[in-house]
């Protein structure tokens, strides 16, 4: 299905680049799916927790031998133990970055943005005939033109049309 002939009017280099980006997106999606489905080894987590507990118990005695003030011992102990526990909590949060927590990735917004960019590619305003190559033009000039077109395409892709403007397909919110 060519969506009303729009894909047949789209220049082939643009279609190839879009397909290549989709393939790259699928590869990254599979890596993310592996991250979610493959659990972190439970024994490793437990050993890390026990080592943090031992560190929490031993650290005051270590700092007591290095400092002469009880306040400095308490301050250094608090800072070191707090930093290690904060790193442990950050690692636990990063273990599953997908979900409904405040710190999780906003996958729904990323999907909507991807849909809008795909719609931009297949809109009728983008469906132009492919330009013909001029054989009298040197390779340097053609390379410079290709770089200019690449920059123009990046500028178009960075402008995400709103659904109200009617520039995006109606099937994607």
């Amino acid at each position: 299905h060519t969506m009303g002939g729009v894909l047949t009017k789209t220049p082939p280099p643009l279609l190839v680049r879009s397909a290549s980006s989709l393939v790259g997106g699928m590869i990254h999606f599979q890596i993310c799916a592996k991250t979610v489905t493959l659990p972190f080894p439970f024994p490793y987590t437990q050993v890390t927790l026990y080592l943090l507990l031992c560190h929490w118990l031993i650290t005051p005695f270590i700092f007591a031998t290095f400092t002469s003030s009880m306040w400095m011992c308490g301050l250094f102990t608090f800072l070191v133990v707090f930093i290690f526990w904060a790193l442990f909590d950050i690692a636990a949060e990063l273990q599953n970055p997908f979900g409904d927590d405040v710190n999780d990735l906003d996958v729904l917004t990323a999907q909507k943005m991807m849909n809008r960019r795909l719609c931009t590619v297949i809109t009728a305003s983008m469906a132009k005939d492919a330009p013909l190559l001029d054989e009298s033009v040197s390779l340097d000039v053609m390379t410079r033109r290709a770089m200019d077109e690449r920059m123009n395409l990046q500028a178009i892709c960075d402008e995400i049309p709103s659904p109200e403007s009617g520039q995006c397909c109606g099937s994607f919110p």
Side-chain angles (χ1 to χ4, degrees), residues 1-155:
H1 187 265
T2 62
M3 300 189 72
V6 172
L7 291 180
T8 58
K9 295 177 187 176
T10 306
L14 188 58
L15 285 177
V16 169
R17 180 157 171 93
S18 299
S20 172
S21 295
L22 286 174
V23 167
M26 282 303 298
I27 290 170
H28 290 297
F29 173 76
Q30 290 172 350
I31 292 170
C32 291
K34 241 192 298 187
T35 302
V36 171
T37 57
L38 187 66
F40 199 74
F42 182 72
Y44 186 87
T45 305
Q46 291 302 305
V47 167
T48 305
L49 185 63
Y50 291 136
L51 287 174
L52 278 173
L53 288 172
C54 290
H55 177 264
W56 176 57
L57 294 173
I58 294 173
T59 302
F61 300 110
I62 301 293
F63 278 117
T65 60
F66 290 132
T67 59
S68 58
S69 170
M70 191 181 341
W71 292 102
M72 294 303 283
C73 175
L75 177 69
F76 290 144
T77 300
F78 172 76
L79 287 176
V80 171
V81 170
F82 177 78
I83 289 171
F84 279 128
W85 279 97
L87 289 173
F88 181 74
D89 286 340
I90 290 171
E93 189 68 34
L94 290 176
Q95 184 177 349
N96 187 6
F98 309 105
D100 296 331
D101 295 342
V102 175
N103 294 327
D104 289 338
L105 296 175
D106 190 8
V107 185
L108 186 60
T109 303
Q111 179 64 46
K112 286 181 180 181
M113 187 182 304
M114 177 69 173
N115 289 343
R116 286 184 185 146
R117 287 185 179 191
L118 286 174
C119 289
T120 302
V121 171
I122 61 172
T123 55
S125 63
M126 292 283 297
K128 298 178 183 176
D129 293 332
L132 298 174
L133 293 178
D134 185 6
E135 287 143 9
S136 64
V137 179
S138 70
L139 183 61
D140 293 334
V141 173
M142 286 195 322
T143 305
R144 217 177 11 244
R145 283 184 189 172
M147 291 305 293
D148 290 342
E149 287 296 320
R150 182 175 177 209
M151 289 179 189
N152 290 339
L153 179 62
Q154 185 63 40

